[in-house]
Amino acid sequence: MTSVTSRETLLRAALVMMGLLTSLPALALASASVLETTYGVNDPEPMTLALLRHRGMLQLLLGAALIWAAFFTPARKAAAIAAVTGKSTFLLLILPDPALRAELTPFSTVVDLTCIVALTVLVLLQDQLRATWRGLRRTNAR
C-alpha cells in the first residue's frame, strides 16, 4: 500500500506544481510589470495589455484545472490534454520566429516543455497506471 500511496502523492505533487507554474501569468492581472519579466513586453499598448491579462486569466484557469486534477482523478485526462494543447500551441506560435523566440524567457520554454512531456506521459499511461495501482492495492490488502 505504501508504494501506491507514495506514487499517488508524487503524482499529486507534480500536478500541483505544474498547476502553480501554469498560473504564474495571472500575476499580470495585479501588475503589468510582470509582463516584462515573463514575456519581455515593456509598456504595452492598452489592447496588448488587455489581451495579455486575459491570457493570464486563462492560464490561471488552466492551472486551477491541473490542481483540481491532482485531487479529482476523473479530471486528470481532460486537464492534461487541455494543458498539453495550450502549451504546445503557445510554443508552436513563438518558437519558429527567431525574433519572438529571442524575447521569450528560457524559464517559460523549459517549464512548458517539461509540462508537455510529463502530461503526455500521464495521458498515455493513465489507464495502465490505474490498473497497476489497483492491482498493488489488492495485493497489499491481502
Side-chain angles (χ1 to χ4, degrees), residues 30-75:
S31 173
S33 66
V34 171
L35 297 172
E36 186 175 354
T37 318
T38 54
Y39 301 117
V41 175
N42 201 354
D43 194 28
E45 295 193 15
M47 181 55 87
T48 301
L49 178 59
L51 290 170
L52 287 171
R53 285 182 162 167
H54 181 255
R55 182 184 192 282
M57 175 52 76
L58 294 174
Q59 290 296 103
L60 177 64
L61 294 171
L62 183 57
L66 288 170
I67 294 169
W68 177 49
F71 302 99
F72 186 68
T73 55

Side-chain angles (χ1 to χ4, degrees), residues 15-38:
L15 286 167
V16 168
M17 181 60 69
M18 285 187 272
L20 291 172
L21 290 170
T22 297
S23 298
L24 285 177
L27 294 173
L29 293 166
S31 173
S33 66
V34 171
L35 297 172
E36 186 175 354
T37 318
T38 54

Side-chain angles (χ1 to χ4, degrees), residues 85-135:
T85 302
K87 290 175 179 300
S88 297
T89 301
F90 176 69
L91 292 177
L92 288 171
L93 291 170
I94 301 291
L95 294 180
D97 185 324
L100 293 175
R101 188 173 57 242
E103 293 181 28
L104 186 64
T105 62
F107 178 77
S108 297
T109 306
V110 169
V111 166
D112 281 352
L113 287 172
T114 302
C115 288
I116 289 167
V117 170
L119 293 169
T120 299
V121 168
L122 173 67
V123 168
L124 295 175
L125 298 180
Q126 182 178 1
D127 294 333
Q128 183 182 0
L129 289 171
R130 197 176 309 141
T132 301
W133 292 349
R134 253 188 258 127

